[in-house]
Amino acid sequence: MYQPKSNPTFKKKKDIELDWNTFNGGLNTLFKPTELRDNELSQADNLMLVGQGTPTGRWGSQTYFMAGASKINLLDAYYNSTASTNVLLAITNDGYMVKKSSASYSIITGASFASGFSYQSAQLGGNTYIASASLNFVKFDGTNLIPYVGISTPTNVSIAQLSAASGFNTYSWRISAISNTGETLAAVSKSLASLPLDLAETSIKVSWNTVSAASGVLKGYNIYRGFPGDETWVAGLDSTAVQFTDTGIAASEIIFPSNTDTTAGPRAKYVLKFDDRLILAGITGDPSIVYISGRYPYHDRFTAIDGGGWIYVSPDDGDFITGLGVANQQTQNPVILVFKNNSVHAISLGTVNIGSFVILDPVVHLLTSSTGCSSGDTIISVENDTFYFGRKGLYSIGSEPNFLNQIRTNEISARIRPYIQNLTDQDFKEAVASYIDYKYIISFPSKKEAIIYDRQRGAFMGPWTTSSPNFGITKLFKYYDSSGVEVWLAGCTDGYVRQLTEGLVSDSGTAIAKTLRTGKS
């Protein structure tokens, strides 16, 4: 006979007590809500942490000034230390650079800018240098925009042997001209046959026509010599030279004629100030080359004669450079970081002696081929590390503890990996970031969201949404105004620059909706 089982005795679970101020674990979307620790959150929309881990509303925003009628593509400041004045600069899709003028703007003349491009800038030697894929190098001197002027390649190159020494070798020579910023393409090579292997046994006179240029634009000439098709740098001459006598001095093994004419300034997506040099990458038509300027005051020149040069980073590997950064900043041996979509490389700078010249000798090595960066605007110095964002998440680069000459990469974003996996290709390419108030803020303009990494607590919060009112953040900038006060600014898709401010509970008068969810027991 069937005997029904008795119902089990009900046991009420012990209540879980949570303190409001102990959510210092922040947002965790990697685990299920039932798997979260008591100090973690499953949802933290428009929230940040204060104190020991108290969730509170994010910063609100208010209009700082109007930069134009369309998306902001650059937000930077020109600081004049002599006059103790600051000029807040912006470039919008309207096609011009402006400076803040009360609540509006005034246009800066001298150059125009194509819409739909992102711009980067760096200040050095009293000028702000602006880089973009849409235009050649241009500088702002505090008053006007000044483009650089290009020059032509030397013509009528001729070669003559000055002695009777002979042999079985053919050598060729090429000549290029140098401007304020760069170098022309080298002239078509001129060859001589039946020469001795050691050119010190003879003398070769190389001559050419003087390049026509406005006063002060032509700076000199570079001479390249070698076997045909393999010419390398052998000498640099001043602008008055019209010939060169080659007595067989040693040629460089690493400096080849430029593949692009950079005399009007290189056309580059990325610019970085590295001590007293400028570094350029994302060169139009040459996606794996990095240009390195001479040292100040030759920081806008990129030729060997001025102490500059270039180097290829994993050339023709099917990938391209996506940004620049610096590592080991706290040591005596900082390195230039070069990011591609799927790898990170480091460039260290050295020199070699060639005859009476001291030539820049950059050396590149691979840091990692497992991660890369999708947007150069996310490469930010964070204390002693450099953060960058790519398709595998947020990573940091810094010195290995106790080994200052060794660099390591480290993933930070594991706890929000599901959020990252739901981003689109456009989100990855458009991402911008800044380090403000010990928080790494990364914005996705089209998504109209931002994710925050609180470095002091090692926790993520957000997303912060700006869909109401309807704007995305295209640039983030920490600005010091003329009185020395730190101001947190956001350039937006609607042409406004907004100030992020503690204590505000709205975006331009629109209340900020906040949502918090803890884990489930």
Side-chain angles (χ1 to χ4, degrees):
M1 182 177 178
Y2 172 73
Q3 296 290 333
K5 294 182 179 180
S6 59
N7 293 328
T9 305
F10 171 73
K11 272 188 166 185
K12 181 182 178 182
K13 288 187 178 181
K14 185 179 179 180
D15 291 338
I16 296 176
E17 296 183 3
L18 297 176
D19 291 330
W20 182 250
N21 64 351
T22 58
F23 290 105
N24 54 15
L27 178 68
N28 187 338
T29 62
L30 181 63
F31 298 149
K32 299 176 181 177
T34 55
E35 299 172 334
L36 297 183
R37 294 177 297 179
D38 293 344
N39 69 338
E40 294 178 326
L41 298 169
S42 62
Q43 189 172 356
D45 296 355
N46 290 316
L47 296 174
M48 57 191 290
L49 297 174
V50 297
Q52 293 182 345
T54 303
T56 188
R58 66 162 172 89
W59 306 322
S61 65
Q62 58 189 350
T63 299
Y64 195 65
F65 80 103
M66 183 181 72
S70 57
K71 183 178 74 169
I72 292 175
N73 298 320
L74 173 74
L75 189 59
D76 200 357
Y78 175 84
Y79 297 102
N80 188 325
S81 56
T82 303
S84 299
T85 59
N86 303 338
V87 180
L88 188 58
L89 306 172
I91 296 175
T92 71
N93 262 351
D94 298 330
Y96 41 73
M97 174 180 274
V98 303
K99 60 182 177 181
K100 182 180 183 297
S101 180
S102 298
S104 188
Y105 62 86
S106 57
I107 297 174
I108 300 170
T109 59
S112 59
F113 302 87
S115 63
F117 290 88
S118 179
Y119 295 84
Q120 291 191 352
S121 59
Q123 182 173 335
L124 184 60
N127 296 306
T128 289
Y129 297 89
I130 302 161
S132 171
S134 71
L135 82 167
N136 286 19
F137 221 32
V138 61
K139 66 182 178 182
F140 173 67
D141 65 357
T143 305
N144 297 307
L145 289 163
I146 304 173
Y148 288 87
V149 178
I151 55 179
S152 59
T153 298
T155 58
N156 292 335
V157 178
S158 63
I159 301 172
Q161 186 176 6
L162 301 181
S163 73
S166 63
F168 302 97
N169 298 280
T170 298
Y171 284 92
S172 69
W173 285 260
R174 301 183 70 184
I175 318 298
S176 65
I178 304 166
S179 74
N180 290 312
T181 60
E183 182 177 9
T184 67
L185 293 172
V188 175
S189 63
K190 293 292 184 177
S191 301
L192 276 179
S194 303
L195 294 176
L197 180 62
D198 184 0
L199 289 179
E201 298 176 6
T202 185
S203 296
I204 308 296
K205 185 176 77 171
V206 185
S207 58
W208 58 92
N209 285 358
T210 300
V211 170
S212 177
S215 176
V217 174
L218 176 64
K219 296 300 180 182
Y221 300 92
N222 277 336
I223 314 297
Y224 298 88
R225 177 248 291 153
F227 297 119
D230 193 30
E231 300 88 358
T232 57
W233 187 87
V234 70
L237 307 175
D238 64 31
S239 60
T240 62
V242 292
Q243 65 180 35
F244 167 70
T245 300
D246 192 342
T247 58
I249 61 175
S252 168
E253 295 181 357
I254 59 172
I255 302 175
F256 296 88
S258 175
N259 288 333
T260 55
D261 186 336
T262 57
T263 57
R267 182 170 292 196
K269 292 181 181 179
Y270 313 109
V271 59
L272 170 74
K273 183 172 77 69
F274 182 72
D275 292 334
D276 57 353
R277 299 179 187 266
L278 292 176
I279 315 299
L280 298 179
I283 306 297
T284 300
D286 220 342
S288 293
I289 199 170
V290 174
Y291 280 99
I292 303 163
S293 79
R295 304 190 68 172
Y296 173 85
Y298 305 110
H299 55 277
D300 59 353
R301 306 179 189 177
F302 299 87
T303 63
I305 195 172
D306 293 312
W310 58 85
I311 188 170
Y312 282 97
V313 177
S314 189
D316 300 326
D317 63 352
D319 206 351
F320 51 88
I321 294 173
T322 56
L324 297 168
V326 183
N328 280 5
Q329 299 173 74
Q330 73 278 21
T331 73
Q332 295 181 349
N333 299 300
V335 297
I336 302 163
L337 296 174
V338 180
F339 296 85
K340 291 192 169 187
N341 273 299
N342 301 299
S343 60
V344 185
H345 308 257
I347 296 176
S348 55
L349 302 184
T351 57
V352 295
N353 294 322
I354 301 177
S356 59
F357 292 93
V358 178
I359 303 301
L360 184 69
D361 181 28
V363 177
V364 62
H365 66 273
L366 176 68
L367 287 182
T368 178
S369 58
S370 61
T371 66
C373 178
S374 60
S375 169
D377 285 334
T378 66
I379 303 166
I380 304 294
S381 294
V382 177
E383 307 301 334
N384 291 331
D385 292 337
T386 297
F387 283 23
Y388 65 98
F389 183 78
R391 299 179 188 278
K392 292 189 177 180
L394 177 61
Y395 282 75
S396 69
I397 294 179
S399 299
E400 187 71 28
N402 302 319
F403 297 93
L404 293 181
N405 290 326
Q406 296 185 21
I407 304 175
R408 54 93 181 104
T409 61
N410 182 49
E411 184 187 5
I412 298 173
S413 56
R415 280 179 288 178
I416 60 165
R417 193 171 293 146
Y419 180 89
I420 294 170
Q421 290 172 340
N422 285 326
L423 296 174
T424 66
D425 180 66
Q426 184 176 15
D427 292 331
F428 283 113
K429 291 178 178 178
E430 290 182 342
V432 298
S434 187
Y435 184 55
I436 297 173
D437 192 34
Y438 304 103
K439 298 171 182 62
Y440 179 86
I441 306 173
I442 180 167
S443 166
F444 308 102
S446 295
K447 195 176 179 67
K448 299 180 176 62
E449 291 183 357
I451 284 288
I452 287 46
Y453 176 69
D454 187 328
R455 185 181 180 276
Q456 294 182 120
R457 298 168 182 84
F460 284 92
M461 292 293 282
W464 293 1
T465 59
T466 54
S467 55
S468 180
N470 190 26
F471 67 86
I473 297 175
T474 60
K475 296 290 179 180
L476 287 159
F477 183 55
K478 184 163 56 177
Y479 168 63
Y480 295 91
D481 65 19
S482 56
S483 60
V485 175
E486 182 177 299
V487 182
W488 307 330
L489 299 178
C492 303
T493 53
D494 58 3
Y496 283 91
V497 175
R498 290 177 168 85
Q499 179 180 358
L500 306 174
T501 307
E502 291 181 295
L504 282 181
V505 295
S506 65
D507 286 322
S508 300
T510 301
I512 301 170
K514 310 170 189 70
T515 303
L516 180 146
R517 288 184 181 177
T518 65
K520 296 179 181 179
S521 60

